[in-house]
Amino acid sequence: HELFMSTPVTKGAYLGGRFAGSLITATVAVGASAVGIMLGSMLPWLDPERILAFDIRPYAYSMAVFVIPNLFIAGAFLFSFATLSRRVFFTWVAMIGIIVGWAASQAFLSDLESLRTAALLDPFAVSAFRSATRYWTVVERNTMLPPLTGTLLWNRIIWVAAGAGALLFTHARYRMHAVVRSARRDVGSGASETARSGTDTPIPAVSMAFDAR
């Protein structure tokens, strides 16, 4: 942390690089799983009577509509809490809040009158997907993709915008200061404790010059 603060990096580049690096890493990990599933569906010993012909569209649809947006949404909120609080505890609190929000939307699914509300409140769009395919037959679910319209589209727009808003809020509130940490020993009790200084040390402005001098 202090190493980055000692360089003339801008706040946008610092925060954007950290978030982009984590998002790309998560996307590559999940994408590798998708590739493994695709390859697994082509194994020669599988019964062709039980498996449909290979189609790349469901994989591309899932990655574009669900996987990458969900990684962005969850990552944006967790990144914001971790960056602004600089505490791992608050990151776990944010994660629990996201899970509780998803569980609440699932509870509303049993009530048809609140089906649209549940679909819009679900940050991962699972409820929106179930709502879009609620009355589909087994054959339709195996061969068709839900159109990206209506509640499903609004769910993606609302939550991606919420994630982007969290990142903008983080950029506005974050201070490029290094937190000084010091350790002290309590001589009277003989116990040592670690104290964190409440004073932030501002990073001096550095002007970059690229010449022979």
Side-chain angles (χ1 to χ4, degrees), residues 8 17 38 67 91 95 100 105 116 119 124 126 141-142 150 212:
M38 286 192 300
V67 175
T91 306
M95 183 180 298
V100 170
S105 68
R116 178 177 172 83
F124 303 125
V126 176
R141 293 184 179 184
N142 289 333

Side-chain angles (χ1 to χ4, degrees), residues 176-206:
M176 291 289 286
H177 289 176
V179 179
V180 178
R181 295 178 175 85
S182 59
R184 67 182 181 182
R185 180 177 296 276
D186 190 348
V187 180
S189 61
S192 61
E193 62 178 356
T194 302
R196 295 185 177 180
S197 173
T199 304
D200 291 344
T201 303
I203 303 300
V206 179

Side-chain angles (χ1 to χ4, degrees), residues 11 43 45 62 75 111 118 125 135 159 169 171 181 189 208 211:
K11 181 168 64 173
L43 296 177
W45 54 79
S62 300
D111 186 2
Y135 300 106
W159 285 102
F169 178 79
H171 181 273
R181 295 178 175 85
S189 61
M208 294 182 291
D211 54 24

